[in-house]
Amino acid sequence: MNRGTLFVLVGAFLWGTISFFVKNLYEAGFTPMEVVTIRVTVAAIILCVFTGLTSNKSLKLQRISHIKYFIGTGVFSITFFNYCMFKTIQLSTVQVSAALLYTGPAFVIIISFIVLHEKITKNKVLSLLCTCIGIILVVEFFPLQDKTIPIMTIIIGLCSGLGYALYSIFSKFALQYYDSLTITTYTFLVSAIVLIPFFPFREKGTLLLQPDVYLYALGLGFVPTAIAYILYTYGLSFIEASKAAILSTMEPVIATLIGIFIFTEPFTILQIVGMGCIILAVILIELPSLANRKKRVIQ
């Protein structure tokens, strides 16, 4: 397993822990969009302080025109996909939202082919197919068993997948000029600037002063946000965006395991099969690099 794959997988693992923090903040009285604002704001503060202490040059733009990359990652990706994801949850269910969000890798493969000129290989297609089947099983998304999902809900859900995909694309461009820490910092700083004006500080500002809420907010901004995105973005500098997007689908597996073992949520055989499909997808996407490594050893 190469360095890029490892960092992306660890980032996906940390993303998968988000439900632990989010559920506790919901219980404290925050709405989904307010939790998003807390997430990006805390992450932005942590990242700005960290980069300020470790590298004075990290937050300097090489060119003012480069702000477009961070508007891309911060507004068109982070803010946009979070809004669409939570709107889909409001209109339907968490399962439907998760299934539509993880159409992201398909968008990444298509956009990467058009914009970044990355090849669409047989392994990528097979891996994507395993990923889609796995996600459907893990989140138990079986629309035919339920009433028909409104077309507008599906469109908004697909938009969350598109927004999720755009982070990998914009980050690839930004990585030509900046390191992963700088990209992640500017991403959440821009997103926080956009979302903070809409947060109801008068009504819910005092909730953030409660010790347990403060710790959950800090944990949300640090573990599945700041650290996770730094690792994922760093991994992108070593592997293709399309490959990273498929690898990141380990997140729902981790989230499901946390639900089972921490929140004692029930699980089914189909969910276990789904997790196996996603793990198989990761193995498939890794096969070409393993084959190349064996060739180099033989030579």
Side-chain angles (χ1 to χ4, degrees), residues 170-180 183 233 236-237:
F170 283 112
S171 290
K172 267 294 185 183
F173 285 109
L175 280 165
Q176 298 174 65
Y177 308 99
Y178 304 97
D179 60 23
S180 58
I183 293 169
T233 309
L236 272 175
S237 60

Side-chain angles (χ1 to χ4, degrees), residues 183-248:
I183 293 169
T184 309
T185 302
Y186 270 115
T187 294
F188 285 98
L189 187 59
V190 170
S191 183
I193 290 169
V194 170
L195 290 175
I196 284 174
F198 300 99
F199 190 85
F201 285 100
R202 288 185 179 179
E203 294 84 0
K204 297 186 177 179
T206 53
L207 285 176
L208 293 170
L209 300 177
Q210 297 176 12
D212 56 338
V213 174
Y214 174 79
L215 288 174
Y216 288 130
L218 187 63
L220 177 62
F222 186 69
V223 180
T225 311
I227 300 300
Y229 273 93
I230 287 172
L231 293 174
Y232 180 82
T233 309
Y234 184 66
L236 272 175
S237 60
F238 297 100
I239 60 177
E240 294 178 334
S242 50
K243 181 177 177 180
I246 292 173
L247 290 170
S248 70

Side-chain angles (χ1 to χ4, degrees), residues 266-287:
F267 66 97
T268 65
I269 296 298
L270 286 178
Q271 285 180 310
I272 295 172
V273 173
M275 286 186 241
C277 288
I278 294 173
I279 293 169
L280 176 60
V282 172
I283 294 170
L284 283 172
I285 205 71
E286 266 294 284
L287 285 178

Side-chain angles (χ1 to χ4, degrees), residues 20-30 35 38 213 216-217 220:
F20 172 76
F21 302 100
V22 169
K23 282 195 173 187
N24 283 291
L25 288 171
Y26 284 168
E27 288 177 7
F30 294 102
V35 172
I38 292 169
V213 174
Y216 288 130
L220 177 62

